[in-house]
Amino acid sequence: MTITVRPGCTVMFTGDSITDCQRLESEDGLGFGYPLRIAGEWGLRHPDRPVTWLNTGIGGNKVMDLEARWQTDVLDARPDVVSILVGVNDMSRHTLDPKEYVITAAEFEAGYDRLLAPLAEAGTKLILIVPFLLPIHGVVEAGAGVVRIGEEERKEWRTDLDPKIQVVRKLALKYGAQLLDADGMSAELAATTGPEYWAADGVHPTPAGHAALAAAWLRLVE
């Protein structure tokens, strides 16, 4: 069952850099990624149903970072719909920094659950976007160019991310949320064009990748 977006609703996107997408540099605060595409397409399709669109994504955020600012950045806005994409920063970050704390799937689940519980209690409609990692080829620079990430590192990331993807699926069922399987969708898209077409570094979507996310998101609402 899709989510009905009624006139005057407030829809909030939140998460990490994929959602952030330079929102503070944009005039409307939505950034230049999939939230902007969703708002634009919705406005084109439904001029009779105006919506307030908000984006509180922050690059680099993990679940624990969202939790620290959840009251101020999300709950206080009293949104009718909240869309969350988080998890890629919760996977094996010690690849970038050996001193980085390793977040287990159980810790990820507990923190994510604490984000969702007050929203569910308030009757907020939820859209959970599964974190994704595309199997790009070659080596890319990360951590401001300090670290080089190759296929072995990405295998480590994938091993760490898969249980956290299952956590998102589990929580979507628990809270009756709409689930956008961005990881499965990305894999299907990459099978025909190659993964770099959708996310050049395997994580951050290209314009086409953001468009694919937006199109999938819009199929979950009416």
Side-chain angles (χ1 to χ4, degrees):
M1 182 179 295
T2 56
I3 292 174
T4 299
V5 179
R6 304 186 185 282
C9 277
T10 296
V11 178
M12 176 176 287
F13 303 95
T14 195
D16 53 35
S17 61
I18 301 170
T19 301
D20 180 344
C21 208
Q22 299 176 293
R23 64 182 175 87
L24 296 180
E25 298 174 25
S26 62
E27 292 185 6
D28 52 19
L30 287 178
F32 302 99
Y34 74 92
L36 177 64
R37 291 174 181 270
I38 289 168
E41 185 64 27
W42 179 269
L44 177 63
R45 297 181 189 179
H46 306 289
D48 58 328
R49 282 196 273 167
V51 171
T52 298
W53 304 95
L54 301 175
N55 183 348
T56 60
I58 295 181
N61 267 198
K62 309 176 186 70
V63 162
M64 66 177 66
D65 299 311
L66 290 183
E67 192 172 1
R69 62 188 181 86
W70 203 241
Q71 184 67 49
T72 300
D73 284 4
V74 178
L75 299 181
D76 286 352
R78 298 183 180 180
D80 300 287
V81 180
V82 173
S83 173
I84 306 170
L85 171 53
V86 69
V88 74
N89 293 303
D90 293 83
M91 67 186 180
S92 297
R93 299 296 290 174
H94 59 282
T95 302
L96 302 180
D97 182 357
K99 298 179 182 179
E100 186 80 18
Y101 178 73
V102 178
I103 300 167
T104 67
E107 290 170 314
F108 178 76
E109 179 175 353
Y112 210 139
D113 191 275
R114 288 192 294 269
L115 298 180
L116 299 178
L119 293 171
E121 184 177 351
T124 308
K125 302 299 182 183
L126 299 169
I127 297 176
L128 306 188
I129 304 177
V130 171
F132 54 91
L133 178 66
L134 277 75
I136 62 168
H137 306 94
V139 176
V140 297
E141 293 184 348
V146 175
V147 180
R148 293 169 63 82
I149 304 298
E151 293 185 10
E152 290 302 316
E153 288 80 10
R154 284 191 288 274
K155 286 180 182 178
E156 180 183 337
W157 283 2
R158 170 53 70 180
T159 298
D160 188 280
L161 185 63
D162 281 345
K164 288 164 182 157
I165 287 175
Q166 295 309 313
V167 164
V168 178
R169 294 180 183 278
K170 176 182 176 181
L171 291 175
L173 285 173
K174 177 179 179 178
Y175 287 102
Q178 290 287 341
L179 183 74
L180 198 170
D181 184 5
D183 191 62
M185 178 189 73
S186 297
E188 289 182 9
L189 292 171
T192 57
T193 61
E196 290 84 0
Y197 185 80
W198 306 101
D201 63 358
V203 172
H204 297 93
T206 61
H210 278 289
L213 277 176
W217 194 99
L218 286 163
R219 288 194 288 270
L220 302 179
V221 300
E222 62 179 8

